[in-house]
Amino acid sequence: MAYSDKVLDHYNHPRNVGALDKKDPNVGTGMVGAPECGDVMKLQIKVNPDTGVIEDAKFKTFGCGSAIASSSLATEWLKGKSVDQALAIKNTDIVTELALPPVKIHCSVLAEDAIKAAIDDYKTKSSATAQVGASA
Amino acid sequence: MKFPIYLDNHATTAVDPRVVQAMLPYFTEFFGNAASRNHAFGWGAEEGVEKARKQIADLIGANSKEIIFTSGATESNNLAIKGVAQMYAEKGNHIITAATEHKAVLDTCKHLEKDGFRVTYLPVKGDGSVDLDMLREAITDKTILVSIMYANNEIGLIQPVAEIGKICKEKGVLFHTDGVQAVGKIPVNVIADNIDLMSITAHKLYGPKGVGALYVRRKNPRVQLTAQMDGGGHERGMRSGTLNVPGIVGLGEACAIAQREMPAEMARHRALRDRLHAKLATIEESYVNGGMEHRLPHNLNMSFAYVEGESLLMGINDIAVSSGSACTSATLEPSYVLKALGLGDDLAHTSIRFGIGRFTTEEEIDYVANKMIEVVEKLRELSPLWEMFKDGVDLSKVEWVAH
Ligand SMILES: Cc1ncc(COP(=O)(O)O)c(C=O)c1O
């Protein structure tokens, strides 16, 4: 199967590979997929608590080239967006941008799931800290 | 070095230039129909076919009359299994095969199940071999055929064929073997191994695609087959159709070359394979799939944990190999052969098969090894599983959010 130039570019030069401190209350971590399914994505965001803007995003992915490209692209798109804007990213946007063939659409779905999971985690954590703050 | 490097010789092989030379006259000069008995064009073609029949028979210890030409091993497997099932249906309706067979055998058996036959799919041991005691126990008075491949196309495992043949002979059951990956690569002898039927294809031994053969024993016992195509009654009535004379001549020449060069070629392949294995074994968390003891000398199949196979192939895109991970559908199905060995889906997804061939050089092996080491390292930097493994997380205990 031939890969699109954009998939190849992300595969060869993945953006924002790495890890953020899981324990930081401003960091949200999402991990989706399973090794036995052949893909696992870990996506992290760091949100500025004052502005609600995603200042940093990192990923690591075990999966095919399209899965790597989908998560790499997701981190690029996340940076500078507000949490609400980030929630609006759809897997179909990723499919279009990377020209993914039908058999690789699940990679984009996984990336969307990873974004949502990271935001969920961030929201859970920040509401917990807010409560702690209120009761103190 | 010429790129891409071809290390997928279990999928197919390049045609040896000597084979091409042998075939050429049969396209133009001796283009006759081998069944034309009354003129020189027919005789010339027939001569080429009969020479090839002898070359194939010699390679496997058979008699020329026992070689039936087909379009390849898919057809040979179909003809052998369906042909026996239908011919001996009155004697019994039970067939035994193994879980790691090629689809051309497995799907043929599934087809027969729909026709009312009963099929036992034997599990295999960790190295990929069938358990001989299990085979013995599986044979009943209704069993008419055992079909177990000589050597596996993914992990290169060589089955204990001589022992299987002996058991089948003792029990009076016919023994078919898919010899595709073994014939021309390692010594195969249908007499010593008590083989009754054996499938061969030219394109795996440096011959052309679309031509193959089925060995059908004529003595002790005389095996009969129900033809699967109706027509002119060629090939002793077992396989109708005008013979593919150039292809057959190519298959014959390929067998003759393989027979002459086998000892040297096996030693060379083994040395290259062991060299590749030694270098790749330096990669942390790398595993050989299948055993090393009963293995084709030109095969290596390894898993590189925490790195998905398809992304690995993408990183080594100047090297042609294949992966046991097929990330081509929503349900990612890793290789059923590796799963039959007891390999978890996670490791099966990280497997790569290397098939060394006649034209592989040491320089290529070194390039492939270095490139593999580099790409595995790069992808592990990217792998959340590698990160967790390095942090001491037990991945089997993680609750994955499967999709
Ligand atoms: C073990 C085995 N059997 C059968 C076949 C099918 O052979 P052919 O391509 O000649 O139909 C192959 C090759 O794909 C094979 O590896």
Side-chain angles (χ1 to χ4, degrees):
Chain A
M1 192 189 339
Y3 296 97
S4 72
D5 289 343
K6 281 185 178 153
V7 168
L8 283 171
D9 184 44
H10 278 280
Y11 174 86
N12 289 321
H13 312 282
R15 331 284 202 260
N16 308 308
V17 175
L20 298 170
D21 180 10
K22 254 190 187 159
K23 295 194 194 80
D24 183 334
N26 299 322
V27 169
T29 303
M31 184 145 78
V32 294
E36 47 283 5
C37 303
D39 37 31
V40 175
M41 280 182 195
K42 188 182 86 165
L43 198 144
Q44 294 184 298
I45 52 169
K46 186 176 175 137
V47 182
N48 181 323
D50 300 326
T51 60
V53 169
I54 298 170
E55 288 185 328
D56 202 2
K58 297 274 185 208
F59 87 97
K60 283 199 179 188
T61 289
F62 163 86
C64 67
S66 303
I68 290 171
S70 296
S71 38
S72 169
L73 175 68
T75 57
E76 257 189 336
W77 279 355
L78 285 170
K79 282 208 242 179
K81 281 201 167 60
S82 72
V83 169
D84 286 340
Q85 285 169 333
L87 278 172
I89 296 173
K90 288 274 161 293
N91 84 290
T92 46
D93 305 334
I94 296 171
V95 171
T96 311
E97 174 67 18
L98 295 177
L100 295 182
V103 295
K104 295 295 187 185
I105 286 175
H106 67 277
C107 299
S108 69
V109 173
L110 205 61
E112 185 187 319
D113 289 351
I115 294 173
K116 299 229 150 73
I119 293 174
D120 268 0
D121 182 56
Y122 164 72
K123 283 187 171 166
T124 318
K125 274 163 91 179
S126 58
S127 65
T129 31
Q131 275 161 16
V132 171
S135 63
Chain B
M1 254 185 300
K2 244 178 67 195
F3 291 98
I5 292 171
Y6 190 72
L7 272 190
D8 203 12
N9 285 283
H10 296 289
T12 195
T13 56
V15 182
D16 189 307
R18 294 168 291 182
V19 170
V20 176
Q21 281 309 314
M23 289 170 69
L24 286 177
Y26 290 87
F27 287 104
T28 49
E29 203 178 332
F30 307 114
F31 64 85
N33 186 328
S36 299
R37 288 282 150 75
N38 45 8
H39 53 64
F41 296 92
W43 302 330
E46 193 189 12
E47 208 171 291
V49 167
E50 292 315 314
K51 180 179 171 201
R53 221 186 278 281
K54 173 115 181 37
Q55 288 169 316
I56 299 160
D58 284 349
L59 176 63
I60 61 171
N63 184 295
S64 287
K65 295 200 177 92
E66 299 174 310
I67 304 299
I68 302 295
F69 289 112
T70 66
S71 64
T74 299
E75 186 189 341
S76 296
N77 285 338
N78 271 268
L79 176 58
I81 299 170
K82 290 177 184 161
V84 163
Q86 290 162 9
M87 178 59 74
Y88 296 89
E90 284 191 0
K91 192 168 166 262
N93 68 342
H94 181 224
I95 294 167
I96 299 171
T97 185
T100 50
E101 294 294 312
H102 191 268
K103 287 284 181 199
V105 167
L106 291 178
D107 288 359
T108 299
C109 288
K110 291 213 183 90
H111 184 116
L112 287 173
E113 280 184 293
K114 289 200 192 104
D115 294 344
F117 287 87
R118 209 167 62 72
V119 181
T120 300
Y121 301 90
L122 292 175
V124 296
K125 299 192 266 190
D127 68 347
S129 63
V130 295
D131 184 318
L132 297 173
D133 290 329
M134 257 188 191
L135 169 64
R136 222 177 259 115
E137 280 161 26
I139 297 175
T140 71
D141 54 359
K142 288 271 177 254
T143 310
I144 48 175
L145 178 70
V146 170
S147 179
I148 308 270
M149 70 202 322
Y150 210 109
N152 184 270
N153 45 302
E154 287 193 36
I155 53 167
L157 170 99
I158 303 166
Q159 294 283 4
V161 170
E163 285 85 347
I164 296 170
K166 201 160 148 247
I167 292 170
C168 292
K169 193 164 179 73
E170 276 165 24
K171 302 258 187 183
V173 172
L174 293 178
F175 175 36
H176 165 251
T177 187
D178 177 342
V180 164
Q181 298 288 343
V183 171
K185 309 297 171 64
I186 56 172
V188 170
N189 186 295
V190 293
I191 303 293
D193 293 339
N194 282 306
I195 294 167
D196 296 314
L197 300 119
M198 181 163 70
S199 304
I200 300 172
T201 193
H203 75 97
K204 311 269 186 181
L205 65 149
Y206 312 98
K209 291 166 186 59
V211 58
L214 180 65
Y215 158 76
V216 185
R217 183 181 278 270
R218 286 218 329 157
K219 260 205 316 234
N220 313 312
R222 181 186 179 87
V223 178
Q224 290 177 288
L225 290 179
T226 301
Q228 299 299 304
M229 289 195 296
D230 298 312
H234 308 72
E235 299 297 279
R236 293 168 46 215
M238 294 192 216
R239 203 280 191 174
S240 288
T242 298
L243 292 179
N244 167 7
V245 178
I248 287 167
V249 168
L251 171 55
E253 186 63 22
C255 287
I257 295 170
Q259 191 171 4
R260 274 201 309 275
E261 302 184 353
M262 191 181 293
E265 187 154 65
M266 280 177 70
R268 199 182 76 86
H269 285 172
R270 179 170 282 121
L272 289 176
R273 191 271 312 276
D274 291 348
R275 186 181 180 92
L276 181 61
H277 176 211
K279 285 175 190 273
L280 295 183
T282 63
I283 298 177
E284 207 182 332
E285 293 295 306
S286 63
Y287 303 91
V288 173
N289 296 316
M292 285 308 281
E293 198 183 341
H294 304 289
R295 196 178 195 112
L296 292 171
H298 58 296
N299 172 277
L300 185 63
N301 188 314
M302 289 180 75
S303 282
F304 304 91
Y306 316 116
V307 176
E308 192 272 332
E310 194 180 320
S311 66
L312 193 49
L313 292 189
M314 203 170 160
I316 53 168
N317 62 357
D318 51 358
I319 303 166
V321 291
S322 76
S323 167
S325 179
C327 176
T328 50
S329 62
T331 53
L332 305 170
E333 264 306 306
S335 146
Y336 66 90
V337 172
L338 297 182
K339 285 177 74 171
L341 300 184
L343 211 66
D345 283 8
D346 48 348
L347 267 188
H349 276 301
T350 70
S351 75
I352 302 284
R353 174 185 73 180
F354 304 91
I356 289 161
R358 184 169 288 163
F359 309 107
T360 308
T361 65
E362 189 172 282
E363 194 187 12
E364 288 177 333
I365 290 294
D366 289 349
Y367 178 87
V368 169
N370 291 335
K371 184 89 180 204
M372 283 290 300
I373 291 168
E374 176 195 316
V375 176
V376 167
E377 191 171 328
K378 177 192 143 165
L379 289 171
R380 280 182 175 167
E381 300 269 306
L382 273 183
S383 168
L385 305 179
W386 180 247
E387 179 185 79
M388 290 163 83
F389 166 72
K390 282 282 154 183
D391 286 345
V393 176
D394 181 350
L395 292 175
S396 66
K397 299 230 161 64
V398 176
E399 270 191 44
W400 300 102
V401 190
H403 56 114

